[in-house]
Each structure stands twice: as structure tokens, then as C-alpha cells.
mmCIF file of all heavy atoms in Angstrom:
data_model
loop_
_atom_site.group_PDB
_atom_site.id
_atom_site.type_symbol
_atom_site.label_atom_id
_atom_site.label_comp_id
_atom_site.label_asym_id
_atom_site.label_seq_id
_atom_site.Cartn_x
_atom_site.Cartn_y
_atom_site.Cartn_z
ATOM 1 N N ALA R 1 57.478 -9.372 -54.239
ATOM 2 C CA ALA R 1 58.303 -10.474 -54.743
ATOM 3 C C ALA R 1 58.994 -11.155 -53.567
ATOM 4 O O ALA R 1 59.696 -10.500 -52.797
ATOM 5 C CB ALA R 1 59.322 -9.950 -55.741
ATOM 6 N N THR R 2 58.796 -12.473 -53.455
ATOM 7 C CA THR R 2 59.363 -13.209 -52.322
ATOM 8 C C THR R 2 60.652 -13.945 -52.677
ATOM 9 O O THR R 2 61.311 -14.483 -51.793
ATOM 10 C CB THR R 2 58.342 -14.213 -51.768
ATOM 11 O OG1 THR R 2 58.051 -15.176 -52.780
ATOM 12 C CG2 THR R 2 57.070 -13.519 -51.312
ATOM 13 N N ALA R 3 61.002 -13.967 -53.952
ATOM 14 C CA ALA R 3 62.182 -14.715 -54.395
ATOM 15 C C ALA R 3 63.471 -14.008 -54.001
ATOM 16 O O ALA R 3 63.536 -12.780 -53.935
ATOM 17 C CB ALA R 3 62.152 -14.904 -55.910
ATOM 18 N N THR R 4 64.491 -14.810 -53.750
ATOM 19 C CA THR R 4 65.845 -14.294 -53.553
ATOM 20 C C THR R 4 66.752 -15.000 -54.558
ATOM 21 O O THR R 4 66.530 -16.162 -54.899
ATOM 22 C CB THR R 4 66.354 -14.557 -52.120
ATOM 23 O OG1 THR R 4 66.321 -15.955 -51.863
ATOM 24 C CG2 THR R 4 65.500 -13.830 -51.089
ATOM 25 N N ALA R 5 67.745 -14.284 -55.022
ATOM 26 C CA ALA R 5 68.652 -14.828 -56.041
ATOM 27 C C ALA R 5 69.785 -15.598 -55.375
ATOM 28 O O ALA R 5 70.914 -15.134 -55.302
ATOM 29 C CB ALA R 5 69.192 -13.706 -56.911
ATOM 30 N N GLY R 6 69.489 -16.813 -54.927
ATOM 31 C CA GLY R 6 70.486 -17.633 -54.258
ATOM 32 C C GLY R 6 71.469 -18.300 -55.194
ATOM 33 O O GLY R 6 72.529 -18.756 -54.772
ATOM 34 N N ASP R 7 71.111 -18.360 -56.486
ATOM 35 C CA ASP R 7 72.007 -18.939 -57.479
ATOM 36 C C ASP R 7 71.720 -18.292 -58.841
ATOM 37 O O ASP R 7 70.791 -17.488 -58.976
ATOM 38 C CB ASP R 7 71.856 -20.468 -57.552
ATOM 39 C CG ASP R 7 70.446 -20.923 -57.861
ATOM 40 O OD1 ASP R 7 69.738 -20.248 -58.637
ATOM 41 O OD2 ASP R 7 70.030 -21.976 -57.342
ATOM 42 N N ALA R 8 72.542 -18.622 -59.842
ATOM 43 C CA ALA R 8 72.431 -17.990 -61.158
ATOM 44 C C ALA R 8 71.093 -18.294 -61.827
ATOM 45 O O ALA R 8 70.501 -17.420 -62.467
ATOM 46 C CB ALA R 8 73.591 -18.437 -62.055
ATOM 47 N N GLU R 9 70.620 -19.517 -61.678
ATOM 48 C CA GLU R 9 69.346 -19.889 -62.312
ATOM 49 C C GLU R 9 68.201 -19.074 -61.723
ATOM 50 O O GLU R 9 67.343 -18.581 -62.453
ATOM 51 C CB GLU R 9 69.105 -21.398 -62.131
ATOM 52 C CG GLU R 9 67.910 -21.934 -62.909
ATOM 53 C CD GLU R 9 66.639 -21.975 -62.080
ATOM 54 O OE1 GLU R 9 66.737 -21.980 -60.847
ATOM 55 O OE2 GLU R 9 65.551 -21.988 -62.672
ATOM 56 N N MET R 10 68.184 -18.893 -60.401
ATOM 57 C CA MET R 10 67.123 -18.101 -59.777
ATOM 58 C C MET R 10 67.257 -16.629 -60.151
ATOM 59 O O MET R 10 66.261 -15.937 -60.367
ATOM 60 C CB MET R 10 67.131 -18.287 -58.262
ATOM 61 C CG MET R 10 65.926 -17.657 -57.595
ATOM 62 S SD MET R 10 64.350 -18.244 -58.257
ATOM 63 C CE MET R 10 63.851 -19.331 -56.963
ATOM 64 N N ALA R 11 68.464 -16.143 -60.260
ATOM 65 C CA ALA R 11 68.675 -14.759 -60.694
ATOM 66 C C ALA R 11 68.117 -14.543 -62.101
ATOM 67 O O ALA R 11 67.510 -13.501 -62.383
ATOM 68 C CB ALA R 11 70.164 -14.411 -60.649
ATOM 69 N N THR R 12 68.278 -15.518 -62.974
ATOM 70 C CA THR R 12 67.724 -15.439 -64.331
ATOM 71 C C THR R 12 66.201 -15.411 -64.288
ATOM 72 O O THR R 12 65.563 -14.639 -65.011
ATOM 73 C CB THR R 12 68.225 -16.628 -65.182
ATOM 74 O OG1 THR R 12 69.659 -16.556 -65.235
ATOM 75 C CG2 THR R 12 67.645 -16.609 -66.579
ATOM 76 N N ARG R 13 65.606 -16.248 -63.443
ATOM 77 C CA ARG R 13 64.139 -16.260 -63.309
ATOM 78 C C ARG R 13 63.623 -14.917 -62.804
ATOM 79 O O ARG R 13 62.629 -14.393 -63.293
ATOM 80 C CB ARG R 13 63.698 -17.352 -62.331
ATOM 81 C CG ARG R 13 63.733 -18.738 -62.907
ATOM 82 C CD ARG R 13 63.343 -19.754 -61.820
ATOM 83 N NE ARG R 13 63.401 -21.091 -62.321
ATOM 84 C CZ ARG R 13 62.331 -21.831 -62.608
ATOM 85 N NH1 ARG R 13 61.131 -21.351 -62.429
ATOM 86 N NH2 ARG R 13 62.474 -23.049 -63.073
ATOM 87 N N ILE R 14 64.286 -14.368 -61.805
ATOM 88 C CA ILE R 14 63.882 -13.077 -61.256
ATOM 89 C C ILE R 14 63.969 -12.010 -62.337
ATOM 90 O O ILE R 14 63.054 -11.191 -62.494
ATOM 91 C CB ILE R 14 64.728 -12.723 -60.018
ATOM 92 C CG1 ILE R 14 64.372 -13.657 -58.860
ATOM 93 C CG2 ILE R 14 64.527 -11.263 -59.614
ATOM 94 C CD1 ILE R 14 65.320 -13.575 -57.663
ATOM 95 N N ALA R 15 65.048 -12.004 -63.086
ATOM 96 C CA ALA R 15 65.217 -11.014 -64.163
ATOM 97 C C ALA R 15 64.106 -11.153 -65.208
ATOM 98 O O ALA R 15 63.573 -10.146 -65.703
ATOM 99 C CB ALA R 15 66.583 -11.173 -64.811
ATOM 100 N N ARG R 16 63.725 -12.385 -65.550
ATOM 101 C CA ARG R 16 62.650 -12.604 -66.526
ATOM 102 C C ARG R 16 61.335 -12.043 -66.003
ATOM 103 O O ARG R 16 60.611 -11.349 -66.724
ATOM 104 C CB ARG R 16 62.500 -14.086 -66.859
ATOM 105 C CG ARG R 16 61.395 -14.359 -67.897
ATOM 106 C CD ARG R 16 61.234 -15.839 -68.219
ATOM 107 N NE ARG R 16 61.131 -16.701 -67.057
ATOM 108 C CZ ARG R 16 60.025 -16.855 -66.321
ATOM 109 N NH1 ARG R 16 58.940 -16.207 -66.615
ATOM 110 N NH2 ARG R 16 60.039 -17.675 -65.284
ATOM 111 N N HIS R 17 61.028 -12.314 -64.740
ATOM 112 C CA HIS R 17 59.796 -11.783 -64.155
ATOM 113 C C HIS R 17 59.805 -10.253 -64.171
ATOM 114 O O HIS R 17 58.775 -9.633 -64.469
ATOM 115 C CB HIS R 17 59.604 -12.296 -62.728
ATOM 116 C CG HIS R 17 59.000 -13.653 -62.662
ATOM 117 N ND1 HIS R 17 57.657 -13.883 -62.813
ATOM 118 C CD2 HIS R 17 59.559 -14.871 -62.455
ATOM 119 C CE1 HIS R 17 57.400 -15.176 -62.698
ATOM 120 N NE2 HIS R 17 58.549 -15.799 -62.487
ATOM 121 N N ARG R 18 60.938 -9.645 -63.864
ATOM 122 C CA ARG R 18 61.028 -8.178 -63.882
ATOM 123 C C ARG R 18 60.767 -7.629 -65.284
ATOM 124 O O ARG R 18 60.086 -6.616 -65.435
ATOM 125 C CB ARG R 18 62.405 -7.723 -63.395
ATOM 126 C CG ARG R 18 62.583 -7.842 -61.915
ATOM 127 C CD ARG R 18 63.957 -7.370 -61.492
ATOM 128 N NE ARG R 18 64.146 -7.505 -60.062
ATOM 129 C CZ ARG R 18 65.301 -7.737 -59.479
ATOM 130 N NH1 ARG R 18 66.406 -7.835 -60.206
ATOM 131 N NH2 ARG R 18 65.383 -7.852 -58.179
ATOM 132 N N ARG R 19 61.317 -8.295 -66.302
ATOM 133 C CA ARG R 19 61.118 -7.848 -67.686
ATOM 134 C C ARG R 19 59.657 -7.944 -68.111
ATOM 135 O O ARG R 19 59.202 -7.163 -68.941
ATOM 136 C CB ARG R 19 61.979 -8.657 -68.650
ATOM 137 C CG ARG R 19 63.444 -8.309 -68.647
ATOM 138 C CD ARG R 19 64.200 -8.950 -69.812
ATOM 139 N NE ARG R 19 64.028 -10.394 -69.891
ATOM 140 C CZ ARG R 19 64.773 -11.283 -69.236
ATOM 141 N NH1 ARG R 19 65.749 -10.876 -68.453
ATOM 142 N NH2 ARG R 19 64.550 -12.584 -69.360
ATOM 143 N N GLU R 20 58.923 -8.895 -67.566
ATOM 144 C CA GLU R 20 57.510 -9.091 -67.925
ATOM 145 C C GLU R 20 56.606 -8.014 -67.334
ATOM 146 O O GLU R 20 55.485 -7.834 -67.802
ATOM 147 C CB GLU R 20 57.030 -10.469 -67.452
ATOM 148 C CG GLU R 20 57.645 -11.619 -68.213
ATOM 149 C CD GLU R 20 57.294 -12.981 -67.625
ATOM 150 O OE1 GLU R 20 56.640 -13.043 -66.553
ATOM 151 O OE2 GLU R 20 57.676 -13.977 -68.249
ATOM 152 N N ARG R 21 57.083 -7.302 -66.323
ATOM 153 C CA ARG R 21 56.255 -6.296 -65.658
ATOM 154 C C ARG R 21 56.551 -4.907 -66.216
ATOM 155 O O ARG R 21 57.713 -4.562 -66.468
ATOM 156 C CB ARG R 21 56.530 -6.305 -64.153
ATOM 157 C CG ARG R 21 56.216 -7.625 -63.501
ATOM 158 C CD ARG R 21 56.266 -7.545 -61.998
ATOM 159 N NE ARG R 21 57.557 -7.232 -61.434
ATOM 160 C CZ ARG R 21 58.345 -8.100 -60.817
ATOM 161 N NH1 ARG R 21 57.994 -9.360 -60.716
ATOM 162 N NH2 ARG R 21 59.495 -7.706 -60.309
ATOM 163 N N PRO R 22 55.510 -4.074 -66.341
ATOM 164 C CA PRO R 22 55.735 -2.682 -66.756
ATOM 165 C C PRO R 22 56.633 -1.954 -65.757
ATOM 166 O O PRO R 22 56.560 -2.196 -64.548
ATOM 167 C CB PRO R 22 54.325 -2.090 -66.767
ATOM 168 C CG PRO R 22 53.420 -3.261 -66.964
ATOM 169 C CD PRO R 22 54.092 -4.402 -66.242
ATOM 170 N N ALA R 23 57.452 -1.065 -66.274
ATOM 171 C CA ALA R 23 58.383 -0.309 -65.426
ATOM 172 C C ALA R 23 57.659 0.570 -64.415
ATOM 173 O O ALA R 23 58.211 0.896 -63.361
ATOM 174 C CB ALA R 23 59.305 0.535 -66.299
ATOM 175 N N SER R 24 56.415 0.934 -64.701
ATOM 176 C CA SER R 24 55.655 1.803 -63.802
ATOM 177 C C SER R 24 55.162 1.087 -62.548
ATOM 178 O O SER R 24 54.761 1.729 -61.580
ATOM 179 C CB SER R 24 54.456 2.402 -64.539
ATOM 180 O OG SER R 24 53.587 1.365 -64.967
ATOM 181 N N TRP R 25 55.201 -0.235 -62.537
ATOM 182 C CA TRP R 25 54.745 -0.978 -61.367
ATOM 183 C C TRP R 25 55.784 -0.889 -60.260
ATOM 184 O O TRP R 25 56.994 -0.963 -60.503
ATOM 185 C CB TRP R 25 54.506 -2.435 -61.707
ATOM 186 C CG TRP R 25 53.329 -2.690 -62.591
ATOM 187 C CD1 TRP R 25 52.527 -1.761 -63.204
ATOM 188 C CD2 TRP R 25 52.830 -3.959 -62.977
ATOM 189 N NE1 TRP R 25 51.558 -2.387 -63.935
ATOM 190 C CE2 TRP R 25 51.719 -3.742 -63.818
ATOM 191 C CE3 TRP R 25 53.206 -5.265 -62.695
ATOM 192 C CZ2 TRP R 25 50.981 -4.775 -64.372
ATOM 193 C CZ3 TRP R 25 52.478 -6.296 -63.245
ATOM 194 C CH2 TRP R 25 51.380 -6.045 -64.067
ATOM 195 N N HIS R 26 55.297 -0.783 -59.061
ATOM 196 C CA HIS R 26 56.166 -0.737 -57.882
ATOM 197 C C HIS R 26 56.444 -2.166 -57.421
ATOM 198 O O HIS R 26 55.547 -3.005 -57.422
ATOM 199 C CB HIS R 26 55.483 0.062 -56.775
ATOM 200 C CG HIS R 26 56.277 0.174 -55.525
ATOM 201 N ND1 HIS R 26 57.465 0.870 -55.454
ATOM 202 C CD2 HIS R 26 56.063 -0.331 -54.291
ATOM 203 C CE1 HIS R 26 57.939 0.790 -54.228
ATOM 204 N NE2 HIS R 26 57.114 0.060 -53.499
ATOM 205 N N THR R 27 57.674 -2.456 -57.044
ATOM 206 C CA THR R 27 58.026 -3.780 -56.537
ATOM 207 C C THR R 27 58.569 -3.665 -55.123
ATOM 208 O O THR R 27 59.446 -2.842 -54.852
ATOM 209 C CB THR R 27 59.076 -4.466 -57.438
ATOM 210 O OG1 THR R 27 58.543 -4.603 -58.751
ATOM 211 C CG2 THR R 27 59.459 -5.837 -56.904
ATOM 212 N N LEU R 28 58.022 -4.498 -54.237
ATOM 213 C CA LEU R 28 58.546 -4.643 -52.881
ATOM 214 C C LEU R 28 59.176 -6.025 -52.814
ATOM 215 O O LEU R 28 58.477 -7.035 -52.960
ATOM 216 C CB LEU R 28 57.424 -4.554 -51.841
ATOM 217 C CG LEU R 28 56.710 -3.223 -51.684
ATOM 218 C CD1 LEU R 28 55.521 -3.372 -50.741
ATOM 219 C CD2 LEU R 28 57.669 -2.178 -51.143
ATOM 220 N N GLU R 29 60.476 -6.078 -52.645
ATOM 221 C CA GLU R 29 61.158 -7.369 -52.510
ATOM 222 C C GLU R 29 61.154 -7.724 -51.035
ATOM 223 O O GLU R 29 61.817 -7.079 -50.229
ATOM 224 C CB GLU R 29 62.565 -7.284 -53.085
ATOM 225 C CG GLU R 29 62.530 -7.062 -54.589
ATOM 226 C CD GLU R 29 63.900 -7.059 -55.230
ATOM 227 O OE1 GLU R 29 64.901 -7.274 -54.517
ATOM 228 O OE2 GLU R 29 63.956 -6.839 -56.446
ATOM 229 N N GLU R 30 60.340 -8.728 -50.699
ATOM 230 C CA GLU R 30 60.186 -9.106 -49.298
ATOM 231 C C GLU R 30 60.072 -10.619 -49.174
ATOM 232 O O GLU R 30 59.006 -11.189 -49.358
ATOM 233 C CB GLU R 30 58.945 -8.437 -48.698
ATOM 234 C CG GLU R 30 58.772 -8.730 -47.229
ATOM 235 C CD GLU R 30 60.039 -8.523 -46.434
ATOM 236 O OE1 GLU R 30 60.493 -7.373 -46.307
ATOM 237 O OE2 GLU R 30 60.609 -9.533 -45.945
ATOM 238 N N PRO R 31 61.194 -11.282 -48.848
ATOM 239 C CA PRO R 31 61.183 -12.738 -48.765
ATOM 240 C C PRO R 31 60.566 -13.301 -47.489
ATOM 241 O O PRO R 31 60.247 -14.488 -47.440
ATOM 242 C CB PRO R 31 62.666 -13.104 -48.839
ATOM 243 C CG PRO R 31 63.380 -11.901 -48.333
ATOM 244 C CD PRO R 31 62.528 -10.723 -48.725
ATOM 245 N N LEU R 32 60.347 -12.479 -46.450
ATOM 246 C CA LEU R 32 59.902 -13.012 -45.156
ATOM 247 C C LEU R 32 58.668 -12.316 -44.570
ATOM 248 O O LEU R 32 57.735 -12.985 -44.150
ATOM 249 C CB LEU R 32 61.041 -12.949 -44.139
ATOM 250 C CG LEU R 32 62.257 -13.816 -44.452
ATOM 251 C CD1 LEU R 32 63.409 -13.487 -43.520
ATOM 252 C CD2 LEU R 32 61.902 -15.284 -44.390
ATOM 253 N N ALA R 33 58.671 -11.006 -44.487
ATOM 254 C CA ALA R 33 57.624 -10.260 -43.772
ATOM 255 C C ALA R 33 56.462 -9.915 -44.703
ATOM 256 O O ALA R 33 56.222 -8.757 -45.039
ATOM 257 C CB ALA R 33 58.206 -9.011 -43.136
ATOM 258 N N LEU R 34 55.719 -10.931 -45.083
ATOM 259 C CA LEU R 34 54.647 -10.766 -46.067
ATOM 260 C C LEU R 34 53.534 -9.856 -45.554
ATOM 261 O O LEU R 34 53.051 -8.981 -46.280
ATOM 262 C CB LEU R 34 54.088 -12.138 -46.441
ATOM 263 C CG LEU R 34 53.200 -12.231 -47.647
ATOM 264 C CD1 LEU R 34 53.797 -11.562 -48.870
ATOM 265 C CD2 LEU R 34 52.897 -13.692 -47.951
ATOM 266 N N ASP R 35 53.119 -10.027 -44.312
ATOM 267 C CA ASP R 35 52.057 -9.175 -43.780
ATOM 268 C C ASP R 35 52.499 -7.718 -43.717
ATOM 269 O O ASP R 35 51.726 -6.805 -44.030
ATOM 270 C CB ASP R 35 51.551 -9.675 -42.430
ATOM 271 C CG ASP R 35 52.632 -9.789 -41.374
ATOM 272 O OD1 ASP R 35 53.827 -9.917 -41.733
ATOM 273 O OD2 ASP R 35 52.293 -9.770 -40.179
ATOM 274 N N THR R 36 53.752 -7.480 -43.368
ATOM 275 C CA THR R 36 54.282 -6.118 -43.329
ATOM 276 C C THR R 36 54.340 -5.516 -44.733
ATOM 277 O O THR R 36 54.001 -4.354 -44.925
ATOM 278 C CB THR R 36 55.685 -6.105 -42.689
ATOM 279 O OG1 THR R 36 55.586 -6.680 -41.390
ATOM 280 C CG2 THR R 36 56.252 -4.707 -42.598
ATOM 281 N N ALA R 37 54.761 -6.299 -45.721
ATOM 282 C CA ALA R 37 54.804 -5.814 -47.105
ATOM 283 C C ALA R 37 53.406 -5.456 -47.590
ATOM 284 O O ALA R 37 53.222 -4.432 -48.267
ATOM 285 C CB ALA R 37 55.446 -6.858 -48.008
ATOM 286 N N LEU R 38 52.416 -6.265 -47.258
ATOM 287 C CA LEU R 38 51.035 -5.938 -47.647
ATOM 288 C C LEU R 38 50.589 -4.632 -46.997
ATOM 289 O O LEU R 38 49.888 -3.833 -47.620
ATOM 290 C CB LEU R 38 50.095 -7.084 -47.262
ATOM 291 C CG LEU R 38 50.146 -8.291 -48.190
ATOM 292 C CD1 LEU R 38 49.614 -9.539 -47.491
ATOM 293 C CD2 LEU R 38 49.385 -8.023 -49.477
ATOM 294 N N ALA R 39 50.994 -4.383 -45.778
ATOM 295 C CA ALA R 39 50.644 -3.138 -45.098
ATOM 296 C C ALA R 39 51.347 -1.943 -45.734
ATOM 297 O O ALA R 39 50.784 -0.843 -45.768
ATOM 298 C CB ALA R 39 50.992 -3.230 -43.615
ATOM 299 N N ARG R 40 52.568 -2.151 -46.236
ATOM 300 C CA ARG R 40 53.335 -1.064 -46.851
ATOM 301 C C ARG R 40 52.854 -0.711 -48.251
ATOM 302 O O ARG R 40 53.066 0.404 -48.717
ATOM 303 C CB ARG R 40 54.819 -1.448 -46.931
ATOM 304 C CG ARG R 40 55.505 -1.416 -45.592
ATOM 305 C CD ARG R 40 57.028 -1.571 -45.654
ATOM 306 N NE ARG R 40 57.626 -1.789 -46.933
ATOM 307 C CZ ARG R 40 58.419 -2.820 -47.240
ATOM 308 N NH1 ARG R 40 58.682 -3.740 -46.339
ATOM 309 N NH2 ARG R 40 58.951 -2.933 -48.429
#
């Protein structure tokens, strides 16, 4: 996930996306180091 919650509207969007995903899925919150996140 590359999003950051810079304001209330974005925080709501992030929360909605989290609710849509099964709890068993792993999430890496990485707004900048995309290649490193893919390696991890």
C-alpha cells in the first residue's frame, strides 16, 4: 500500500480498502521504497 493518510478523506479511503481485504492478507505500507517492498 503506497497511500498515506494525509487528511481525513484519505484516511477514510485507506480504511475502506483495508475492510475490502481479508484479514489473512499481509500488508506492507510503503509510500516510497517500492522496489524494497517487493523484495521484502
